[in-house]
Amino acid sequence: MAALSDQRAKARIAIAFVLLFVVAAALSVGVYYLGKLQENIASQESRMALEAINNAASIDEALARYPANRFLKLMAMATTAALETSAASEKLSREIEPPALSRGITLAAASRADLEALRRDLKVAETNATTFMPRYLALLKAERDRLENYALSLSMEKNVANRFMQDIDRRHAEIAAVISKMLAARAEYYRAYDKCVAALLAEFGIYKVTNGQFIFPIQYMADRYNVAANAMTSAAQRAAELEEARKTLAQPPLKGWEQIAGGG
């Protein structure tokens, strides 16, 4: 009787192991097919996003066609964030100059007091141009954090989210490099402008103004002023070109995001 009981117990254990194996296999198959289903859904989302982008005039229009598409939601958020960061950067650029300096001054009609006040404002502007870089970087970091958190909230596929953030980092690095050069050019502009004003103060009451042109009695006076004025013009041109480059880079890179949605 004991032997028979042992056989039955062994049989039950064997059956239990078989059932456990079957259940485990079934679960594995279920996880496999669930994973494939998720991949197919993600692939379909990618195709829909690409089609919507290619056929729409804007991300917002594409999102209106496919409001549940996660790629389009992410791109719409990235577009908004990029434009808001650009606007904040332009506002910060305006804050570099004191209000009086931003309004401008006619040097030919300036009094000694006007020129002295102008020099003080130029010193402030130069200092701001050399110290504002961390504030620009803070704007870019805030944009990056916002987009990374939003991508996580959408439960984006890890590889897609990684490619997206890598693209953001690349674009931000390019923008930061341009801003750094632009600030350097503006600082150079303010220094050259200050040298122009210093030249006028040094010869105040000696030079004359004819048809808006400064006439100095001695050539070295004219040379001193002209060298500073030429440097000022050159620096102003470089700063303006770099500011335009910053604005261009700040625009949402639609083509780059198309590649991310398409897995490129």
Side-chain angles (χ1 to χ4, degrees):
M1 182 66 67
L4 182 58
S5 297
D6 290 343
Q7 291 177 356
R8 290 177 177 174
K10 291 179 179 178
R12 285 196 296 270
I13 292 173
I15 292 171
F17 275 116
V18 170
L19 289 175
L20 181 61
F21 174 78
V22 171
V23 170
L27 288 175
S28 297
V29 171
V31 170
Y32 171 79
Y33 281 110
L34 177 60
K36 295 301 291 183
L37 177 60
Q38 291 174 335
E39 289 180 8
N40 290 337
I41 291 173
S43 178
Q44 184 179 10
E45 275 195 308
S46 298
R47 288 194 298 271
M48 290 170 61
L50 286 171
E51 180 182 354
I53 293 170
N54 291 331
N55 295 332
S58 69
I59 291 291
D60 289 337
E61 182 182 328
L63 187 58
R65 296 181 184 178
Y66 302 100
N69 189 286
R70 293 175 300 168
F71 295 102
L72 292 177
K73 285 183 178 180
L74 184 57
M75 292 176 195
M77 172 59 79
T79 299
T80 298
L83 294 177
E84 289 178 357
T85 298
S86 181
S89 295
E90 290 180 26
K91 181 177 181 294
L92 189 58
S93 291
R94 292 192 295 271
E95 292 176 5
I96 291 175
E97 295 185 357
L101 181 57
S102 299
R103 288 193 293 270
I105 183 174
T106 302
L107 291 178
S111 65
R112 178 181 290 275
D114 292 335
L115 294 176
E116 290 173 346
L118 177 57
R119 289 200 73 188
R120 290 192 293 271
D121 286 342
L122 287 169
K123 293 294 186 183
V124 171
E126 181 186 347
T127 297
N128 289 342
T130 57
T131 59
F132 268 32
M133 189 63 189
R135 296 177 64 179
Y136 281 99
L137 294 178
L139 292 175
L140 295 176
K141 184 180 184 303
E143 178 187 339
R144 187 193 191 284
D145 291 346
R146 177 182 178 186
L147 294 175
E148 186 174 37
N149 291 333
Y150 189 66
L152 290 173
S153 73
L154 292 174
S155 299
M156 301 294 298
E157 287 72 18
K158 186 175 181 179
N159 64 325
V160 174
N162 287 342
R163 286 201 305 271
F164 176 77
M165 294 312 303
Q166 288 169 5
D167 186 72
I168 293 297
D169 289 340
R170 176 194 56 75
R171 187 170 65 88
H172 281 184
E174 292 176 354
I175 293 173
V178 168
I179 289 175
S180 179
K181 293 177 182 177
M182 182 266 292
L183 289 174
R186 287 187 67 167
E188 184 179 346
Y189 165 78
Y190 297 128
R191 283 193 294 271
Y193 195 172
D194 179 67
K195 289 179 180 179
C196 281
V197 179
L200 294 178
L201 279 170
E203 315 302 338
F204 194 82
I206 298 177
Y207 61 82
K208 298 181 182 298
V209 179
T210 302
N211 296 324
Q213 299 293 317
F214 294 103
I215 307 297
F216 296 91
I218 303 176
Q219 186 60 42
Y220 84 84
M221 297 179 182
D223 292 343
R224 177 187 179 188
Y225 178 83
N226 288 334
V227 168
N230 290 336
M232 176 182 164
T233 300
S234 178
Q237 183 176 351
R238 283 199 304 277
E241 291 171 352
L242 288 164
E243 176 62 11
E244 287 304 310
R246 182 200 65 78
K247 290 179 181 179
T248 299
L249 286 172
Q251 294 301 309
L254 182 58
K255 289 299 179 183
W257 291 342
E258 283 181 1
Q259 293 175 0
I260 291 171

